[in-house]
Amino acid sequence: DENKSIFFVKADNVTISGFNITEAGESFFSSSDTYYPVCGIYLENSSNCIITGNTLFENGGEGISLYNASYNTVSENLLFNDSIFLGEGSVKNTLTENTIEKGWISLGAWSSSNLITENKISNGTGEFTGVSFGCCGAGDVVSCNTIFNCSTGIDAYDRSIHIRNNTITNCFHGIELTSSIGTGIYNNTISNCSIGINLGAVCP
């Protein structure tokens, strides 16, 4: 059903591994007046799940989405024209060693203490950002990622995060912070970007 996610999980301790997942759709579906995004893999209120070794292609823009989900691992997946999204209330998840082309990693409001490490993100043309953060979270770590040819490498709004040891190349802005409190930027390599680090209304 192109109006529903291919995997829709509301359970703990689930492993999804080794699938080719394509063309889930580009809309939302509703159930009892609750609206869900259409994704390749969708987790809600789930913990200790593992999503690994899958290939996702053109699933409406959100290949893998987690909402109010915690302590999950998303690793070694290949995404093309798809993205990874951590929705509101998602905490202490690990996103690692994923390869994303023409997509991004995005964290929504109130998602906190997530680890984003050793991912490769490339060719996010247009307004695509390699890794982006919405407001109001804290304690996330972005480390050892490789981001190439995106609009902005790492973009954070109103959030305290740690950005370290990333390699960002051929982006318009390497790192962009807006109204961020307590964010640290350490040992990143930024090259061939119009602006390496852009601080907009950053508070001490």
Side-chain angles (χ1 to χ4, degrees), residues 6 22 47 55 60 62 79 84 88 96 100 106-107 114 160 183:
I6 293 174
T22 63
S47 298
T55 299
E62 287 189 14
L79 296 91
I84 300 173
E88 183 172 336
T96 183
I100 303 173
S106 179
L107 283 74
N114 298 286
S160 172
T183 290

Side-chain angles (χ1 to χ4, degrees), residues 7-79:
F7 285 91
F8 183 83
V9 179
K10 300 181 75 172
D12 299 334
N13 303 304
V14 174
T15 296
I16 301 172
S17 178
F19 288 91
N20 293 323
I21 302 171
T22 63
E23 298 181 358
E26 296 186 7
S27 61
F28 285 70
F29 74 94
S30 63
S31 175
S32 302
D33 296 323
T34 300
Y35 289 85
Y36 301 97
V38 175
C39 313
I41 300 171
Y42 177 91
L43 270 61
E44 182 178 309
N45 298 319
S46 300
S47 298
N48 299 309
C49 295
I50 298 172
I51 301 172
T52 186
N54 302 286
T55 299
L56 297 102
F57 179 78
E58 292 189 347
N59 292 285
E62 287 189 14
I64 301 170
S65 292
L66 283 64
Y67 284 78
N68 197 33
S70 303
Y71 298 99
N72 302 288
T73 299
V74 179
S75 67
E76 299 182 33
N77 300 284
L78 173 62
L79 296 91

Side-chain angles (χ1 to χ4, degrees), residues 105-164:
I105 293 173
S106 179
L107 283 74
W110 305 109
S111 57
S112 299
S113 300
N114 298 286
L115 174 61
I116 302 167
T117 184
E118 297 186 64
N119 301 283
K120 296 180 180 178
I121 306 170
S122 63
N123 297 319
T125 57
E127 298 182 358
F128 290 169
T129 296
V131 181
S132 67
F133 295 84
C135 75
C136 315
D140 302 290
V141 175
V142 187
S143 69
C144 301
N145 300 282
T146 301
I147 302 170
F148 174 80
N149 197 27
C150 296
S151 173
T152 301
I154 299 169
D155 180 26
Y157 173 77
D158 186 23
R159 183 180 289 247
S160 172
I161 59 177
H162 301 282
I163 303 170
R164 60 184 184 229

